[in-house]
Amino acid sequence: MSSTLADARKRLNAAAQHVDCPDEVLARLEYPMETLAASIPVRRDDGSLTFFKGWRARHSDLLGPTKGGIRFHPSVTMDEVMTLSFWMTMKCAVADLPFGGGKGGVSVDTKDLSEMEVERLARGWVRAFSKMIGADRDIPAPDMYTGPMTMAWMTDELEILRGRKEPGAFTGKPVSLGGSKGRDTATGRGAYHTTRHLTKALGLPDEGATIALHGFGNAAQAYAKLATEDGMKIVAVSDSSGGVFNGDGLDIEAVIKAKEAEGSVSAHDGEEAIDGDALLRAEVDLLVPASIGGVIDEDVAKETDAAAILEIANGPVVSDADAILKERGIEVAPDILANGGGVIVSYFEWVQNRSGDVWSLDTVQERLEQRIVAACDAVLDRHEEAGSLREAAYVVALSRLSEAAQARGTCRQFGEC
Ligand code: GLU
């Protein structure tokens, strides 16, 4: 991923020009409040021992306990984890959640590990970082290559370590172990509501918008289903092994089935093939990057034929591409708004765990839509003044953070007491 903390800071500083934010608050947000690096030992099935590098960054707890996923991916670095924790601070602030931002990760290719080895790694991660974790301190969740099963192992390990139940310490758990209904499709559903609510701002047609999806994981699949049901046309989909294109709209259920059966959307027969690079440049109403960070660099920004972009992935557009897209009139619904559905339903899970209540799927989905619409409205209110949806989202987030910092007073925030 080419987005870095330095990259993220550029957007923060640009937003600061529109917000009455003391320099000290800005300086505090430039770097995580706390980051821990650890070497995690995992006993392999053959009896040998492998050490994996892992991290947890708590960026800011100004608005509440820190919140954010843990990713298991070979490209994870400490800088990436810190950057992602910064984005979580901004994302939670845009969604008006009582959370700060955190992120964790391990540099590992889980495809090289057996399921038992992945379980040992998940449990080892908790042993390494347990001091940071807790429902009132830092609440991890799934991210790339982690999921409900990972959260179940992690919750179990923390409960063993502490000798008591810790229901609100992780979110994204299986529903049978205190997870929330609707968490599995929340990111895609939130992105869908964002698309609908920002139709005008993104310049999309009211009906039949054409969409290209770069990446076809869980969030992208949920998004594709909802968008199709609503009459939008998913014309292109790709994953790391290839892609398919149909100008009249793909049969999304069939593409999902092909991916489930063969591991890639390219196994879906009877459509024109398209690779990821060509998809990023395709002529569509909306390009939706939903894979890794940094895929829309300056070159793609210059060459894409998409009329607008909506970020389901974290950080798919690098900051150096922002000005090019703006100049070309390509509006971007930013990640910190468009993929906030996941952490919003994580918040609902945390609320349910702490209250002992269990919400119906309808309640979860209704409240998710309300929160996404409120976040979109807050961003739209600052759109004209800020100049782009991304800058407007940063302005909304920074305003809320700045207000909280000033309400708290300088002493605790800056460690001067
Ligand atoms: N990993 C997700 C994200 O990047 C979800 C975080 C959460 O639910 O805490 O937004």
Side-chain angles (χ1 to χ4, degrees):
M1 155 166 171
S2 53
S3 294
T4 61
L5 196 54
D7 204 47
R9 268 187 214 128
K10 284 190 202 161
R11 288 173 176 158
L12 180 70
N13 290 326
Q17 294 173 9
H18 301 276
V19 181
D20 175 24
C21 178
D23 288 347
E24 289 173 350
V25 175
L26 263 187
R28 186 70 171 102
L29 292 172
E30 283 195 352
Y31 206 71
M33 58 187 273
E34 176 181 26
T35 303
L36 186 62
S39 172
I40 304 169
V42 173
R43 181 69 62 194
R44 307 298 291 266
D45 295 343
D46 66 5
S48 65
L49 196 61
T50 306
F51 292 88
F52 292 95
K53 291 191 186 74
W55 299 271
R56 183 74 185 171
R58 299 179 65 227
H59 176 260
S60 164
D61 68 352
L62 257 175
L63 296 177
T66 48
K67 182 87 194 81
I70 301 168
R71 58 174 57 175
F72 286 178
H73 193 270
S75 71
V76 174
T77 60
M78 186 161 90
D79 188 64
E80 182 187 79
V81 169
M82 292 197 299
T83 308
L84 289 159
S85 73
F86 164 81
W87 285 332
M88 284 308 301
T89 298
M90 305 313 270
K91 193 185 299 186
C92 292
V94 172
D96 210 8
L97 301 177
F99 286 144
K103 203 77 172 200
V106 176
S107 172
V108 59
D109 191 343
T110 51
K111 289 175 193 136
D112 296 340
L113 267 54
S114 70
E115 203 184 6
M116 283 296 292
E117 289 170 339
V118 177
E119 175 171 353
R120 286 182 213 121
L121 177 61
R123 289 180 183 276
W125 192 93
V126 172
R127 287 196 295 276
F129 297 102
S130 70
K131 287 185 287 299
M132 297 173 100
I133 311 302
D136 289 311
R137 191 156 196 271
D138 181 38
I139 308 133
D143 200 86
M144 286 168 74
Y145 295 96
T146 53
M149 184 82 250
T150 328
M151 295 305 113
W153 290 324
M154 289 186 164
T155 303
D156 187 57
E157 190 64 25
L158 191 69
E159 291 180 346
I160 292 169
L161 283 173
R162 303 236 166 114
R164 58 165 193 253
K165 289 288 169 194
E166 289 284 350
F170 293 88
T171 61
K173 302 179 292 292
V175 173
S176 57
L177 292 176
S180 178
K181 294 193 180 80
R183 177 65 184 82
D184 50 348
T185 56
T187 307
R189 185 167 281 273
Y192 159 73
H193 288 307
T194 308
T195 309
R196 256 294 157 234
H197 208 67
L198 297 183
T199 293
K200 223 168 116 207
L202 292 170
L204 301 176
D206 284 338
E207 299 297 325
T210 54
I211 299 175
L213 274 167
H214 187 266
F216 205 53
N218 183 35
Q221 290 178 24
Y223 178 81
K225 281 191 207 169
L226 289 163
T228 306
E229 276 162 30
D230 195 11
M232 301 179 212
K233 277 195 272 184
I234 310 291
V235 295
V237 167
S238 70
D239 56 31
S240 55
S241 308
V244 282
F245 175 87
N246 183 332
D248 294 327
L250 292 160
D251 176 349
I252 282 304
E253 292 296 343
V255 178
I256 292 173
K257 271 196 195 121
K259 180 153 177 94
E260 276 167 4
E262 309 277 339
S264 170
V265 297
S266 55
H268 177 54
D269 286 336
E271 310 290 2
E272 206 179 304
I274 185 169
D275 66 23
D277 279 348
L279 184 145
L280 290 170
R281 292 163 173 83
E283 190 184 340
V284 284
D285 294 320
L286 188 65
L287 169 63
V288 181
S291 55
I292 50 168
V295 295
I296 302 183
D297 56 15
E298 290 168 85
D299 289 341
V300 177
K302 280 180 202 147
E303 292 160 15
T304 186
D305 250 332
I309 295 173
L310 179 131
E311 298 180 316
I312 285 189
N314 285 311
V317 177
V318 302
S319 71
D320 286 342
D322 287 352
I324 301 168
L325 294 170
K326 197 168 174 179
E327 206 176 280
R328 296 189 60 207
I330 300 173
E331 190 62 83
V332 181
D335 46 7
I336 59 168
L337 172 68
N339 74 22
V343 72
I344 290 173
V345 177
S346 274
Y347 164 63
F348 296 162
E349 180 172 334
W350 180 78
V351 169
Q352 291 171 75
N353 293 156
R354 291 165 73 90
S355 64
D357 200 1
V358 177
W359 301 0
S360 70
L361 183 60
D362 282 351
T363 301
V364 169
Q365 290 182 349
E366 209 176 288
R367 292 184 185 180
L368 168 61
E369 183 174 356
Q370 280 166 7
R371 286 209 169 245
I372 289 281
V373 167
C376 287
D377 282 342
V379 170
L380 287 172
D381 275 353
R382 310 294 297 258
H383 187 192
E384 210 179 324
E385 161 207 352
S388 73
L389 290 169
R390 186 184 315 277
E391 283 168 88
Y394 273 77
V395 166
V396 169
L398 190 56
S399 305
R400 287 177 176 156
L401 287 157
S402 173
E403 202 182 318
Q406 294 181 67
R408 177 179 272 172
T410 56
C411 189
R412 158 119 173 17
Q413 181 57 23
F414 304 118
E416 288 161 3
C417 297

